[in-house]
Structure formats: structure tokens, C-alpha cells
């Protein structure tokens, strides 16, 4: 069976109890933000294309209180690899905050530094059900939860949720040193129950896509638990190929290219590698748009087909799959009731996402476990809501 998740209320209760035990008294402010899974649209973001993520029921909760002193202290109840679970710092204003050790503190410090105003020093506890480093964006969940917590603590918030997402992305860039795209923070901040979010990475326009008849189906996330092997050099190679292809075509980005352009690349003597990378991006952008239409119509058969095509393109043209991910995807596709299965995230490790009929979930898990040489973890993902403040009572 898939691991059953504690609901937000019980995660909140755990955070409030830990706050009282560690800091004394009651927390006054509590907020949460979800992890995410990208349903389709992989390696399209830096090509100004589209992505289609949904928010997960896995969440990061932060509960705390300002105390009138100078030191901010934060405790995470999750295991933090190679670091203490607690940090403290003192800063006169948000401009004085600097990144440092432990590394996980930088996600939080970065949010405070990039908040719209100075905030008073506070104590806080963090509890998360988003697995860290699995590709489900525990980092964005931590940032967006922290930012939402700061909104309630200060009583101030930016006019638009887009600004919050951008501030959290800046925190990850400048403080954690991770040059991430914008998808994770957008969906964590703006997710809506029952919907996926179509995000145009060119102009950051978003559209909520309601999932008609989703009740009969499920998205099954499978963590390969294989170590991530996407080195920054492999990522840069993919990105540089895309930029080179766009340049050869005289386009601003591959967003503006179509299948005729892919043919034109060949006649302009582009290498096979460049043609394949560009073909993935061009076809993936179109698949993502088609998938959004299918989802809105409740056409899950079509959505599943597009997921399969996406995986095959990532495996054959973009060459970012791995034997572990391919094995999970092939096993899933053998099960009656599975409509589509693909790797999700940048690739080379992490998770797959499978669309299937609800009555096929147990069979799919059993079959994938039997066929996969490693020890996978399974999560049923329902399209969930984005970040919000929660009452401490
Ligand atoms: P992903 O976002 O895919 O989970 P990342 O490497 O981007 O993986 O982010 C994981 C990092 O985020 C962790 O190594 C840790 O530094 C930080 N992090 C995420 N969640 C927590 C948490 N609950 N407590 C402490 N640190 C966390
Ligand atoms: Mg991350």
C-alpha cells in the first residue's frame, strides 16, 4: 500500500506541541505550503515554455511566535542530513542577514531577507511531510511556508501571490545557491484544490485547470530512491543545446519554434544531439498545452497518452532518464488500469508519476515493487491547495 499521509491538522498539532515543549508557551502564528509534482512539461521552463504542476497533500508547516528579543531561532523536526536541526541568528534588519551554516537555514533566512518589510525576531518549529531531495520540492514548500508565516507575523503581504513566489525563488537563488526555475514556488503559493496549474514560463501568466472527473482516477507518485545523478554539467549541456538550437533558428527561445524548424535544423547541419534536444522541447511544449485541454475535458485517456509520450521523449531525445526510472515506468504501464506513466522532475533519479484508475492502485504498487530492483516509496497524490495561514486553535 501507499504510505498514508497525516493530514494538515495532525502535522499542525505536532508543530504546536513541539513549539510548546521547546520554546514554552503557545505558538501564535501557523502556516503551511505544499510540495508539488509536475504532471507534464519537463525541461520546458528555461525554454520559455509551459509546465503543468499540481500541489500535493504533502506539506511543510511552520508554527511560531515573535518574542520581543533579538534572536530568531528555528527548529526543524525533520532529519536534516549532515546538520543540526536547529539554528539561530541575530540581524538588525533584513538587509543584514547573510547565508551561512547550516545550509537548510538559508532557505528560511533568504525568505526573511527577501520579505517586503523587516519582521520581528521569532521562535518557530517546522514539520514537513514532503520528502526532502526526492524531487517533490520540499525546498519551495519550506520557502513558501516561511513566507506565508512572515505575512501573518507582520500583517503585511505583497499585492499578488506572484510576488511572493518570486521572492521565494530569489531566496533559493541568492541564499541557498540553487539556480531553480519558477515553477515550484508558483504552484506551492498558488495551488488550488482539484486543479493543476498551467504556467507560462515566458510571461508568468497562470491558469487553473480544473480536473473534471478526477475522483475516478489517481496520480501515483513513486520515489525511485535512487541517488540523483543530474550533475550540473549534464543540465548545462541540455540547456546550452537548446540555446544553440534557438540561435541557429534565429529565435528568441525554442518556445517560438515548431516542427518545421526542427527539420530546418537538420538542413542547417545541426548535430544530431542538438536536433534531438530541440525536438524534445518543441514537442513537450505542445504536449503540455494539449494535456491541459485534455484535463479540463476529463479526457484522462488522452492525458495518459501524452504522459507516455513525454517520458519516451525525455528518455530518447533529451536523454535524462535512468534505468531505475525506465524500469518503474515500464512496470507501471504493464498494469491494467494505468493510463500513463512518466518520470517527473529534471530526471536521472527522483520520482515517476503514474495516472491510473483508482481501482488499479494496489495492483500497480504490487507490480512495480515486484519488478523494480530497488526499494521504491509510493504516494497517492490528490490535487491539493496552495499555501495558507492556519489557525493555531
Ligand atoms: P527537493 O526540493 O526536491 O526536495 P532540494 O535539494 O531542492 O530537494 O531541497 C532539499 C533541501 O531543502 C534539504 O536538503 C534541506 O536543506 C531543505 N529542507 C527542505 N525541507 C526541510 C525541512 N522540513 N527542514 C529542514 N530543511 C528542509
Ligand atoms: Mg528543490
Amino acid at each position: 500500500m501507499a504510505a498514508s499521509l497525516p493530514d494538515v491538522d495532525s502535522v499542525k498539532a505536532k508543530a504546536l506541541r513541539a513549539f510548546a515543549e521547546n520554546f514554552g508557551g503557545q505558538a501564535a502564528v501557523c502556516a503551511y505550503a505544499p510540495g508539488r509534482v509536475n504532471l507534464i512539461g519537463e525541461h520546458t521552463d528555461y525554454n520559455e515554455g509551459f509546465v503543468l504542476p499540481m500541489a500535493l497533500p504533502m506539506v511543510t508547516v511552520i508554527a511560531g511566535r515573535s518574542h520581543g528579543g533579538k534572536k530568531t531561532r528555528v527548529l526543524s523536526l525533520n532529519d536534516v542530513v549532515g546538520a543540526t536541526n536547529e539554528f539561530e541568528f541575530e540581524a538588525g534588519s533584513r538587509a543584514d542577514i547573510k547565508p551561512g551554516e547550516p545550509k537548510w537555514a538559508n532557505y528560511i533566512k533568504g525568505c526573511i531577507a527577501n520579505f517586503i518589510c523587516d519582521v520581528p525576531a521569532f521562535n518557530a518549529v517546522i514539520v514537513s511531510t514532503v520528502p526532502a531531495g526526492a524531487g517533490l520540492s520540499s525546498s519551495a514548500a519550506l520557502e513558501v511556508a516561511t513566507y506565508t508565516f512572515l505575512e501573518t507575523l507582520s500583517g503585511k503581504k505583497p499585492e499578488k501571490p506572484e510576488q511572493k513566489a518570486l521572492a521565494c525563488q530569489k531566496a533559493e537563488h541568492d541564499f541557498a545557491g540553487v539556480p531553480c526555475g519558477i515553477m515550484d514556488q508558483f504552484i506551492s503559493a498558488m495551488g488550488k484544490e482539484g486543479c493543476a496549474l498551467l504556467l507560462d514560463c515566458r510571461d508568468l501568466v497562470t491558469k487553473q485547470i480544473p480536473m473534471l472527473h478526477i475522483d475516478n482516477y489517481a496520480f501515483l507518485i513513486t520515489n525511485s530512491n535512487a541517488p540523483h545523478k543530474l550533475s550540473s554539467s549534464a543540465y548545462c549541456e541540455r540547456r546550452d543545446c537548446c540555446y544553440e538550437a534557438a540561435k541557429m533558428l534565429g529565435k528568441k527561445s525554442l518556445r517560438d519554434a515548431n516542427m518545421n524548424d526542427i527539420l530546418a535544423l537538420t538542413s542547417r547541419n545541426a548535430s544530431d544531439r542538438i536536433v534531438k534536444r530541440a525536438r524534445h522541447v518543441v514537442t513537450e511544449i505542445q504536449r503540455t498545452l494539449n494535456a491541459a485541454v485534455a484535463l479540463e475535458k476529463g479526457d484522462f485517456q488522452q492525458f495518459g497518452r501524452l504522459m507516455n509520450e513525454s517520458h519516451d521523449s525525455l528518455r530518447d531525445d533529451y536523454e535524462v532518464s535512468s534505468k531505475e526510472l525506465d524500469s518503474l515506468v515500464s512496470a507501471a504501464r504493464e498494469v491494467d488500469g494505468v493510463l500513463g506513466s512518466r518520470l517527473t522532475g529534471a530526471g536521472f533519479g527522483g520520482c515517476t508519476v503514474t495516472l491510473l484508475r483508482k481501482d488499479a492502485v494496489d495492483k500497480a504498487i504490487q507490480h512495480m515493487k515486484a519488478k523494480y530492483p530497488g526499494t521504491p516509496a509510493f504516494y497517492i497524490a490528490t490535487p491539493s491547495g496552495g499555501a495558507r495561514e492556519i489557525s493555531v486553535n
Side-chain angles (χ1 to χ4, degrees):
M1 275 299 291
S4 70
L5 279 173
D7 60 19
V8 173
D9 275 345
S10 58
V11 184
K12 173 183 96 171
K14 193 172 169 187
L16 293 178
R17 259 196 323 271
F19 183 89
E21 281 163 17
N22 287 277
F23 297 112
Q26 297 302 310
V29 175
C30 190
Y32 82 83
R36 63 96 188 95
V37 63
N38 191 25
L39 299 176
I40 194 163
E42 226 63 81
H43 290 281
T44 49
D45 54 351
Y46 50 88
N47 291 294
E48 301 190 307
F50 293 86
V51 291
L52 188 66
M54 74 177 199
L56 293 174
M58 291 100 134
V59 295
T60 297
V61 168
I62 170 166
R65 199 182 55 206
S66 58
H67 49 58
K70 290 188 171 164
K71 267 193 181 129
T72 288
R73 279 177 66 201
V74 182
L75 166 70
S76 171
L77 295 198
N78 290 69
D79 284 334
V80 189
V81 180
T84 61
N85 287 41
E86 198 172 340
F87 70 87
E88 58 177 45
F89 72 94
E90 203 177 308
S93 79
R94 64 196 194 284
D96 298 334
I97 303 173
K98 300 280 174 281
E101 293 292 334
K103 293 207 164 34
W104 69 273
N106 294 329
Y107 296 93
I108 295 164
K109 287 181 182 168
C111 288
I112 304 172
N114 284 291
F115 194 62
I116 41 173
C117 61
D118 282 327
V119 292
F122 61 86
N123 294 328
V125 168
I126 286 166
V127 187
S128 181
T129 55
V130 190
L136 301 180
S137 210
S138 68
S139 55
L142 180 58
E143 292 146 17
V144 177
T146 301
Y147 199 97
T148 309
F149 172 87
L150 298 177
E151 288 178 342
T152 310
L153 193 75
S154 67
K156 297 217 165 60
K157 57 163 86 176
E159 263 169 51
K160 296 180 184 158
E162 286 85 344
Q163 292 164 276
K164 166 171 166 168
L166 287 164
C168 290
Q169 182 199 31
K170 191 164 161 42
E172 186 152 343
H173 285 182
D174 298 352
F175 273 68
V178 180
C180 59
I182 189 57
M183 167 172 74
D184 301 356
Q185 292 80 7
F186 258 64
I187 182 64
S188 188
M190 283 178 233
K192 198 169 159 204
E193 217 170 299
C195 294
L197 186 76
L198 182 66
L199 167 63
D200 183 337
C201 299
R202 170 168 275 177
D203 54 17
L204 302 184
V205 169
T206 56
K207 185 180 174 200
Q208 298 287 352
I209 309 290
M211 298 193 194
L212 200 65
H213 308 312
I214 183 66
D215 291 350
N216 301 329
Y217 299 92
F219 287 104
L220 177 67
I221 296 175
T222 308
N223 187 350
S224 65
N225 282 324
H228 254 283
K229 283 173 283 186
L230 180 64
S231 66
S232 58
S233 64
Y235 179 84
C236 290
E237 186 272 328
R238 302 307 184 278
R239 200 195 46 199
D240 291 348
C241 280
C242 295
Y243 293 171
E244 177 64 22
K247 200 165 133 205
M248 286 178 88
L249 292 167
K251 311 266 185 201
K252 180 165 172 271
S253 69
L254 285 178
R255 162 72 174 274
D256 297 323
N258 58 30
M259 285 311 281
N260 287 334
D261 294 315
I262 300 299
L263 293 174
L265 276 175
T266 313
S267 60
R268 282 175 210 178
N269 292 328
S271 69
D272 271 1
R273 204 153 49 104
I274 287 194
V275 175
K276 279 161 71 171
R277 307 291 190 245
R279 188 166 57 201
H280 165 72
V281 172
V282 168
T283 55
E284 184 78 354
I285 289 173
Q286 192 56 51
R287 274 191 291 274
T288 307
L289 290 170
N290 294 349
V293 173
L295 204 56
E296 225 170 351
K297 284 201 284 197
D299 188 349
F300 287 96
Q301 300 285 344
Q302 170 67 355
F303 195 88
R305 270 194 295 274
L306 292 163
M307 288 174 75
N308 285 340
E309 286 175 19
S310 168
H311 181 82
D312 297 352
S313 172
L314 287 160
R315 181 191 60 209
D316 302 334
D317 275 353
Y318 222 60
E319 297 178 287
V320 292
S321 190
S322 65
K323 66 176 189 323
E324 291 90 354
L325 294 169
D326 287 344
S327 132
L328 286 172
V329 162
S330 311
R333 289 181 188 172
E334 284 162 9
V335 178
D336 190 31
V338 167
L339 306 182
S341 186
R342 60 182 290 273
L343 74 84
T344 180
F348 294 113
C351 293
T352 65
V353 58
T354 301
L355 172 62
L356 72 181
R357 283 200 322 262
K358 269 207 174 128
D359 59 13
V361 169
D362 288 346
K363 220 167 43 178
I365 291 176
Q366 274 171 23
H367 190 67
M368 287 163 90
K369 267 189 181 162
K371 284 280 183 109
Y372 183 63
T375 316
F378 296 92
Y379 312 93
I380 307 282
T382 41
S384 304
R388 62 181 176 82
E389 172 193 356
I390 26 182
S391 134
V392 289
N393 301 310

